Amino acid sequence: MSTDVTVETLGGERMKLNMGPHHPATHGVLRLMVETDGEIVAKAVPDHGFLHRSIEKIGECVEWPMFVPYTDRIDYVCAMNANLAYCVAVEKLLNTDPATAVQVPLRAECIRIIVAELNRISSHLVAVGAMSMDLGAYTPFLHGIAQRETVNDIFEKLCGQRLTYNFVTIGGVAFDLHKGAEAEITAFLDAFEKEMIRFNKLITANTIFRDRCAGVAAISAADAVAYGLVGPNLRGSGVDWDIRRDEPYGIYDRLAVRVPVGQGFAGRNGRVGDCYDRFVVRLLEINESVRLVREALKMLPAPVEKKTDATGGYQADVAKQLRKPPKGEVRVRTEAPRGEMGYVIVSDGSKTPYRVRCRTGSFTACSIFQKLMRGIFMADIVTVIGSFDIVVPEIDR
Amino acid sequence: MVDPGIARPGNDPDEQVLVTTVDEFLAWGKENSLFYLLFATACCGIELMQTGGPRYDVDRLGMIPRATPRQADLMIVAGTITHKMASRVRTLWEQMTEPRWVVSMGSCANSGGPFSKWSYSVLNGVDKYIPVDVYIPGCPPRPEALIDGVMALRERVRKYRTLGMRDRDPHVVQGGDCAFGSHPGRDGACGPSSAAPGALAMSRGDESPRTPQSGKPAQVNGGPA
Amino acid sequence: MSTALAFAAIAEQVKSAHPSVEARESDNRQPWLLVPAADLPAVARLLRDAPALRFDSLADLTGWDLAKFPATPPSTDIAVAYYLHSLAHRHHLTLKVMAPRDAAQVPSVSGVWAVANYFEREVYDLLGVAFTGHPNLKRIMCPDDWIGHPLRKDYVYPQAYNGIAHLRDGQHFEDAPPRVGDPPPAPAAAAPAKPPVKSA
């Protein structure tokens, strides 16, 4: 909410407040050192590292396939996408040398899209649910969690885990779809679309919620690019960029990815790139993901007995290549729910990576906090944090 | 016993009087109102959230999340604790009012989990900083496993005596108000080896039998480890 | 309408303005530009502002220690890599700056791309590269009093932090990374010493 009262026009004493690392609205263990001038934030300096688990160092200690479970823990809200990013990167490294080239079976590629987009749905549900919960609306969060449980059930049947899947592997996926999975997923999507209409009536169209977010912390497109915002946060500022469409990996190039961008959805008080735009872009992306899952289900080739089959198999054999991968480096960008998940992988030709670097969306999103939170109201801090959908292990790794 | 079917339960005058001790009554109340601190660091936090969600609904056990440690009885350490975070966890635990309980949820909080060997920054077990009552294995534990752990904790809470002898080591109380005596030999007793937080250092050579690590935690059957 | 430039064309433009810049290739034929540390701010500004280049986004900034990377002759540098991307033209570029390990210093580009502020703090924290001209060069992941830079190849893990031991009582891992004050270094050093004895 814009205001004529600024830090400069008001004098007086400043109060220092410490928000976090334990605070329910910081989505984990983010710490903000806030300096307020009355109700207005004069300064908010983020402090990170409370969940720095040295995952990048672990990448240098373990063998290539052993790192996949750690990618789950980089972003556990969308572990499938995190798995996928690393596996796509290693496959790209293997493909830089024809001797170690790997051909991921088509069925595996389709399954990857299905699980990644389903996970995107469940991740965005947590994001929008948690943001509305931060703003005092507890019920939408419960609706989101209820739908997420169904996705978790599907994943659990698929790979035995509810949260950290370790499902996408280098060269394919760990298991084929279980019997009846297609019908289950379709049934979920049908029910889910109806549920989303209710969800939108409940919170998205809610005047109180919309006015609370409208015009808060609007980011211009130029700022969004300069501060390295990615994913829905970037698109919320009206920048039309989605890696799935513009630099496709896997078989995204065969799917029609439509990219919703922010356009000041909040109406009269709204501005392009405000908190409400970021919120709505996520909801629109959920609809897109539903469509992509349906498209991928249609493309799914019939399964065959042989698991390495180029069409109906689900896992290429890469064990031999991974003992002696090509020497060199690659960089891959993928579109995770929290924006670009990019890997820089350096290989010295041995069975362990030389360097694994994971670039995540939440880390760079935090770099704009200090600029963004100057001059906003105290109560809007949680709105801003919620609208960025940060996940702390993604910041700290 | 009243013959079932004759009167509605509780209507018989005999049933409206229940003789118990004050301690048991208080323990019964505590057991059924375990307010937990909304404290999550990593992956387990999502499962904790979903346990509070509509399907698993821990509210029915009287468990309501509290955002401030001063209103919480139970701290569920959900997620990895790093060296940088550990002293903050200790502060949070100190801010909780007595009696307080700690559930360590997931492999990371139990022992460092997948990070114990190769990580330089992860603490191998939150019990190096605060005493833990129940350990729940799993990475992350399923909500069912968490509820199972809470049920195991409720057994302990039921044994807690507010006025009589304490189940827990009194040394955990800061400021020396251990008026009710200590019973280190009791089954399941645990507490840090020393009262002062500065003296909490437990090096590898510390053979004290009453370090939190070597306490006997309640055994819980969890989900997949 | 594609205005994206190939690597060779970008390299040509940069080299015409800064002859000290070299085009290189990694072992698996990924092209990059080697920029001398002193020229980095000027090159960065050129890349961002030249109308045909317009690298408006710094997609990633990272680094790695080359101490154990198999190369002849062995390198003593830390590679700092800048991954640039142009949303306007949709093309990419990788820059690298080599900083010597014992005195790693690179000029900061946080004035060119705002996000570099965070990336550089991370590289400083984990690899110990000092970015000169950075507005707030402090550790970002590790605590301020942490010793050493963890992603360096010769990093030795701490035994304890804040008086609390890292490992549990009696815990021991086979082939775990070295820790400060570990007793095993002697046998570990003896094992690799054997083959030369045999060959001699």
Side-chain angles (χ1 to χ4, degrees):
Chain A
M1 199 157 286
S2 65
T3 165
D4 296 327
V5 187
T6 62
V7 177
E8 282 76 24
T9 56
L10 278 172
E13 211 174 299
R14 287 184 175 182
M15 183 166 73
K16 282 186 180 164
L17 272 177
N18 185 31
M19 188 174 171
H22 161 255
H23 189 283
T26 56
H27 295 207
V29 284
L30 175 71
R31 175 173 171 229
L32 284 174
M33 289 169 281
V34 185
E35 224 175 282
T36 66
D37 195 337
E39 269 296 288
I40 294 169
V41 178
K43 199 176 167 191
V45 182
D47 183 10
H48 307 291
F50 291 100
L51 200 54
H52 177 54
R53 302 190 278 192
S54 52
I55 285 180
E56 288 179 7
K57 184 77 176 177
I58 291 172
E60 299 173 11
C61 300
V62 298
E63 294 176 17
W64 293 98
M66 282 166 73
F67 188 64
V68 180
Y70 288 97
T71 61
D72 285 330
R73 275 101 190 146
I74 291 179
D75 192 350
Y76 45 73
V77 188
C78 57
M80 290 289 187
N81 298 72
N83 286 172
L84 182 61
Y86 174 71
C87 294
V88 169
V90 177
E91 282 154 16
K92 184 176 174 187
L93 174 77
L94 295 177
N95 284 337
T96 53
D97 186 352
T100 55
V102 46
Q103 171 68 41
V104 180
L106 182 62
R107 187 173 165 84
E109 291 278 23
C110 289
I111 296 174
R112 282 177 172 191
I113 305 271
I114 292 167
V115 295
E117 294 302 325
L118 276 177
N119 213 177
R120 191 184 310 273
I121 292 170
S122 68
S123 166
H124 280 343
L125 281 175
V126 171
V128 294
M131 179 174 172
S132 46
M133 185 172 70
D134 289 347
L135 297 185
Y138 194 59
T139 320
F141 172 73
L142 294 178
H143 282 266
I145 287 289
Q147 297 299 311
R148 192 183 153 87
E149 286 284 358
T150 322
V151 181
N152 282 1
D153 282 349
I154 294 170
F155 285 161
E156 197 180 353
K157 282 191 187 169
L158 205 57
C159 63
Q161 257 289 21
R162 285 166 50 86
L163 198 64
T164 47
Y165 310 110
N166 188 14
F167 177 69
V168 180
T169 56
I170 301 164
V173 292
F175 307 102
D176 203 353
L177 288 182
H178 56 274
K179 217 174 215 170
E182 290 96 326
E184 255 170 46
I185 295 168
T186 317
F188 161 71
L189 294 179
D190 292 343
F192 176 72
E193 280 187 322
K194 290 198 191 85
E195 180 64 32
M196 278 317 282
I197 295 170
R198 281 173 58 197
F199 186 91
N200 286 335
K201 273 186 194 159
L202 184 64
I203 185 76
T204 319
N206 184 312
T207 320
I208 301 170
F209 179 78
R210 195 178 58 208
D211 288 358
R212 181 83 199 275
C213 302
V216 172
I219 306 170
S220 69
D223 267 356
V225 173
Y227 279 91
L229 297 191
V230 284
N233 299 335
L234 180 69
R235 291 191 282 275
S237 294
V239 181
D240 189 9
W241 170 257
D242 188 316
I243 295 166
R244 290 174 294 168
R245 184 196 63 192
D246 298 320
E247 279 178 20
Y249 50 94
I251 55 162
Y252 274 112
D253 48 353
R254 299 190 211 170
L255 302 170
V257 182
R258 292 190 300 225
V259 183
V261 292
Q263 7 184 287
F265 290 111
R268 199 162 43 86
N269 296 327
R271 288 165 63 192
V272 177
D274 61 5
C275 291
Y276 192 72
D277 271 9
R278 289 190 280 277
F279 180 85
V280 172
V281 163
R282 290 206 168 80
L283 286 168
L284 296 174
E285 280 188 18
I286 288 179
N287 295 345
E288 275 307 295
S289 294
V290 170
R291 205 176 49 75
L292 287 176
V293 175
R294 288 221 166 96
E295 265 191 54
L297 277 172
K298 270 186 216 141
M299 284 174 64
L300 194 69
V304 293
E305 202 57 27
K306 192 177 153 214
K307 78 170 183 182
T308 52
D309 187 86
T311 314
Y314 62 91
Q315 194 180 38
D317 192 8
V318 286
K320 209 166 134 197
Q321 287 100 308
L322 288 178
R323 278 198 289 276
K324 213 171 172 346
K327 198 171 137 187
E329 62 195 62
V330 286
R331 171 167 155 76
V332 159
R333 318 170 79 180
T334 63
E335 185 78 23
R338 262 155 286 281
E340 178 186 335
M341 186 171 264
Y343 272 92
V344 176
I345 286 188
V346 185
S347 156
D348 58 355
S350 72
K351 60 183 182 176
T352 52
Y354 187 77
R355 171 88 164 93
V356 181
R357 148 79 179 171
C358 179
R359 179 253 200 265
T360 52
S362 300
F363 180 70
T364 47
C366 288
S367 70
I368 200 172
F369 277 9
Q370 204 168 337
K371 176 188 161 72
L372 210 56
M373 286 185 187
R374 196 180 147 75
I376 63 171
F377 281 113
M378 258 313 268
D380 287 339
I381 289 184
V382 288
T383 322
V384 175
I385 296 178
S387 76
F388 276 103
D389 180 26
I390 53 164
V391 166
V392 173
E394 234 204 339
I395 303 172
D396 295 342
R397 298 183 295 280
Chain B
M1 280 293 277
V2 195
D3 190 10
I6 292 175
R8 287 168 67 190
N11 274 2
D12 194 286
D14 290 350
E15 287 183 6
Q16 297 189 356
V17 178
L18 189 71
V19 180
T20 181
T21 62
V22 174
D23 257 349
E24 275 180 26
F25 179 67
L26 289 175
W28 172 79
K30 285 193 180 78
E31 182 196 338
N32 287 292
S33 62
L34 279 172
F35 289 10
Y36 63 98
L37 179 64
L38 202 58
F39 174 63
T41 58
C43 329
C44 296
I46 301 288
E47 287 294 58
L48 178 62
M49 237 163 63
Q50 295 195 190
T51 314
R55 186 181 288 180
Y56 296 98
D57 190 22
V58 286
D59 279 16
R60 68 202 148 101
L61 304 175
M63 292 178 68
I64 298 167
R66 306 306 300 172
T68 162
R70 291 179 176 84
Q71 297 170 351
D73 308 304
L74 165 64
M75 180 192 234
I76 300 179
V77 184
T80 320
I81 302 298
T82 60
H83 283 297
K84 192 172 179 178
M85 187 67 198
S87 57
R88 271 83 170 183
V89 177
R90 173 87 192 180
T91 309
L92 282 173
W93 179 78
E94 279 166 359
Q95 284 174 344
M96 289 164 66
T97 48
E98 283 264 317
R100 54 198 162 191
W101 288 275
V102 177
V103 168
S104 158
M105 178 183 181
S107 305
C108 289
N110 292 348
S111 68
F115 303 97
S116 55
K117 181 172 174 182
W118 289 296
S119 175
Y120 49 84
S121 54
V122 170
L123 187 71
N124 281 8
V126 71
D127 51 10
K128 282 168 170 283
Y129 265 83
I130 56 175
V132 174
D133 293 280
V134 174
Y135 298 83
I136 304 171
C139 189
R142 300 176 54 87
E144 288 94 333
L146 176 61
I147 292 173
D148 189 28
V150 169
M151 296 319 277
L153 179 75
R154 285 171 61 129
E155 294 285 323
R156 297 190 65 141
V157 177
R158 200 175 298 146
K159 284 190 240 155
Y160 182 85
R161 295 292 169 260
T162 312
L163 303 174
M165 295 191 297
R166 287 199 169 190
D167 188 38
R168 293 165 65 88
D169 192 312
H171 288 298
V172 297
V173 182
Q174 300 298 309
D177 64 335
C178 22
F180 301 107
S182 151
H183 305 278
R186 282 180 70 162
D187 181 43
C190 77
S193 60
S194 153
L200 250 179
M202 280 166 246
S203 63
R204 286 179 66 177
D206 187 351
E207 293 304 320
S208 160
R210 275 172 50 232
T211 59
Q213 274 189 24
S214 48
K216 286 181 200 154
Q219 293 296 316
V220 182
N221 287 321
Chain C
M1 82 147 237
S2 172
T3 47
L5 296 179
F7 175 78
I10 298 169
E12 208 47 55
Q13 284 209 25
V14 177
K15 274 198 275 189
S16 63
H18 298 276
S20 56
V21 174
E22 290 172 42
R24 295 276 184 92
E25 224 172 43
S26 68
D27 295 308
N28 56 351
R29 307 187 60 77
Q30 306 287 315
W32 44 277
L33 285 183
L34 178 66
V35 182
D39 289 346
L40 181 67
V43 172
R45 273 179 205 287
L46 171 83
L47 288 168
R48 188 192 61 176
D49 297 334
L53 302 173
R54 285 277 299 281
F55 284 101
D56 43 14
S57 112
L58 177 65
D60 199 356
L61 192 170
T62 185
W64 52 91
D65 185 359
L66 288 170
K68 288 192 180 163
F69 197 77
T72 43
S75 172
T76 54
D77 288 341
I78 287 174
V80 181
Y82 301 74
Y83 296 90
L84 307 180
H85 174 232
S86 165
L87 280 164
H89 297 305
R90 312 256 150 133
H91 50 217
H92 290 275
L93 181 67
T94 306
L95 297 184
K96 275 192 205 165
V97 177
M98 295 296 170
R101 290 183 89 238
D102 38 2
Q105 273 203 344
V106 176
S108 169
V109 292
S110 53
V112 185
W113 297 283
V115 67
N117 184 326
Y118 259 47
F119 283 144
E120 286 175 353
R121 277 178 72 186
E122 191 189 1
V123 174
Y124 164 72
D125 186 356
L126 301 181
L127 279 160
V129 178
F131 289 90
T132 49
H134 190 284
N136 180 27
L137 195 64
K138 286 197 307 193
R139 284 185 184 270
I140 190 166
M141 299 292 183
C142 299
D144 286 339
D145 55 350
W146 197 259
I147 299 163
H149 300 285
L151 284 182
R152 289 206 174 194
K153 288 288 173 185
D154 55 358
Y155 178 69
V156 184
Y157 285 33
Q159 194 71 258
Y161 176 74
N162 230 348
I164 304 285
H166 182 89
L167 295 169
R168 299 179 73 78
D169 293 351
Q171 193 175 26
H172 175 69
F173 289 111
E174 293 298 325
D175 356 299
R179 279 184 192 281
V180 175
D182 252 357
K194 269 176 192 167
V197 175
K198 273 180 193 167
S199 59

